[in-house]
Amino acid sequence: MRGRWAAGWALAGALLLGGCGDPASGAAGPPAAPSSPKASATTHRKAPAAPARPPAVLYLGDSLAMENQRVLGQELRRDLKARYTSAPYSGTTLCDYLEGTGERSLVPGADKAAALVRSVRPDVVVLQFWGNAWGYTPCMDGITYDAAPDRYLQRYAADARRLAEQITDAGGQSPPRIVWVLQGPDPITPERVRKVNAVYAERAAASGGLVADAGRAVSPASGRHTWVRFLPCTAWERAHPDYCTEPGSGRTALHRDDDYLHFCLAPTTSDPKPCPVRSPGVVRIAREIARAVARVAGSAAEDGG
């Protein structure tokens, strides 16, 4: 089991460092997708009404946020007229965005979460992190899920609390609301994502934030934490054929066949960048995040914020 985990985390580390795409050669591929996937829980509902005052939104995260950032910006600007800023860094985790980590962080000081809150003054901060679990980023101090799952989760929960506190404190008298993005299935260690998502949900409940269950949008209806490469096309995807990749079978691809982690259907490049091609998984995730931001912005408007 440990050998399989080690190979999986090695591949995941290489994948997460890139914006979207090519894994290291020779690494284990993704699990086989079912031939007849059951219906997805995802539907593309009518866009929410824009709040009275367009919100300012700050989007931070790792390579999944890197590949999503352009599409999410389009969704937020179109539906909410949002003022949108994104600053994701591939290969990062929560501690990279903490002030005080210095050279042990992959994020420069000007782009730390609190620094950006002070400069951008967002109404909403969206955090999307897969949960670096293989010790790539120095600020995790070598703590990995494989070697020490309990220690990893304790550290992750502590970092989530510190990050939320720094974001809130940086907001002063008008702190932003935080949207924690729940992650999709992990085919190597499914229980890890379940527990990381629980950390996010607990932190949101404790600090007045909100969760965006984007992971459900890329999971089959039969299993929230079951990894699949394909899902049935939604009605919106069938109406926009570029997003229903296999219309003959009524299903669409979420992942490339050589990358079980990312949702961009283009190969990874050495220079991480937003996803350059139409990718159903990216759209599904971005729309779920946008719906959560709309709920937060709408409640803030009702409160006079």
Side-chain angles (χ1 to χ4, degrees):
M1 177 67 73
R2 182 170 296 274
R4 181 172 66 87
W5 278 3
W9 290 128
L11 173 57
L15 293 175
L16 195 52
L17 183 57
C20 48
D22 277 346
S25 61
S35 56
S36 300
K38 294 184 180 180
S40 169
T42 304
T43 58
H44 290 284
R45 298 184 292 274
K46 183 179 179 180
R53 180 175 66 83
V57 181
L58 174 62
Y59 184 39
L60 307 177
D62 54 23
S63 64
L64 296 178
M66 176 67 74
E67 67 182 7
N68 293 339
Q69 62 179 313
R70 180 179 296 154
V71 174
L72 178 59
Q74 292 170 347
E75 295 286 326
L76 293 173
R77 292 186 184 105
R78 184 194 65 225
D79 294 342
L80 304 180
K81 312 302 181 188
R83 176 167 59 87
Y84 174 73
T85 302
S86 59
Y89 283 83
S90 293
T92 57
T93 193
L94 299 176
C95 61
D96 286 290
Y97 281 89
L98 287 170
E99 291 191 318
T101 49
E103 294 181 356
R104 296 170 52 249
S105 169
L106 301 179
V107 175
D111 286 345
K112 298 292 191 183
L116 286 172
V117 168
R118 287 190 289 267
S119 62
V120 174
R121 309 306 300 177
D123 301 298
V124 183
V125 177
V126 179
L127 301 175
Q128 181 171 12
F129 293 90
W130 172 252
N132 186 309
W134 48 88
Y136 175 78
T137 180
C139 66
M140 281 296 288
D141 299 317
I143 300 171
T144 65
Y145 183 82
D146 182 13
D150 290 341
R151 188 181 177 202
Y152 162 84
L153 290 165
Q154 290 169 2
R155 169 62 186 277
Y156 208 75
D159 287 344
R161 182 177 63 254
R162 287 181 61 200
L163 188 59
E165 289 171 351
Q166 288 190 3
I167 289 171
T168 299
D169 291 346
Q173 295 299 311
S174 300
R177 297 280 299 279
I178 301 174
V179 172
W180 298 86
V181 181
L182 304 188
Q183 300 306 294
D186 178 354
I188 303 300
T189 50
E191 196 61 23
R192 185 195 67 83
V193 158
R194 189 190 303 272
K195 292 178 178 178
V196 164
N197 284 343
V199 168
Y200 295 154
E202 180 181 3
R203 184 47 37 200
S207 57
L210 190 72
V211 296
D213 196 357
R216 184 175 296 279
V218 289
S219 304
S222 58
R224 168 61 179 81
H225 291 91
T226 300
W227 187 94
V228 292
R229 185 181 168 212
F230 297 94
L231 280 177
C233 297
T234 64
W236 183 89
E237 288 163 350
R238 290 193 297 271
H240 298 78
D242 287 337
Y243 294 92
C244 186
T245 62
E246 297 188 5
S249 60
R251 66 181 192 172
T252 196
L254 301 179
H255 305 275
R256 290 169 55 86
D257 60 6
D258 57 1
D259 184 346
Y260 63 76
L261 177 57
H262 296 99
F263 295 91
C264 183
L265 298 183
T268 300
T269 63
S270 58
D271 179 21
K273 58 186 179 182
C275 185
V277 300
R278 293 180 177 89
S279 299
V282 168
V283 173
R284 289 181 181 218
I285 289 171
R287 290 190 165 186
E288 197 60 41
I289 295 172
R291 278 192 282 269
V293 171
R295 293 197 299 273
V296 170
S299 64
E302 291 173 3
D303 294 339

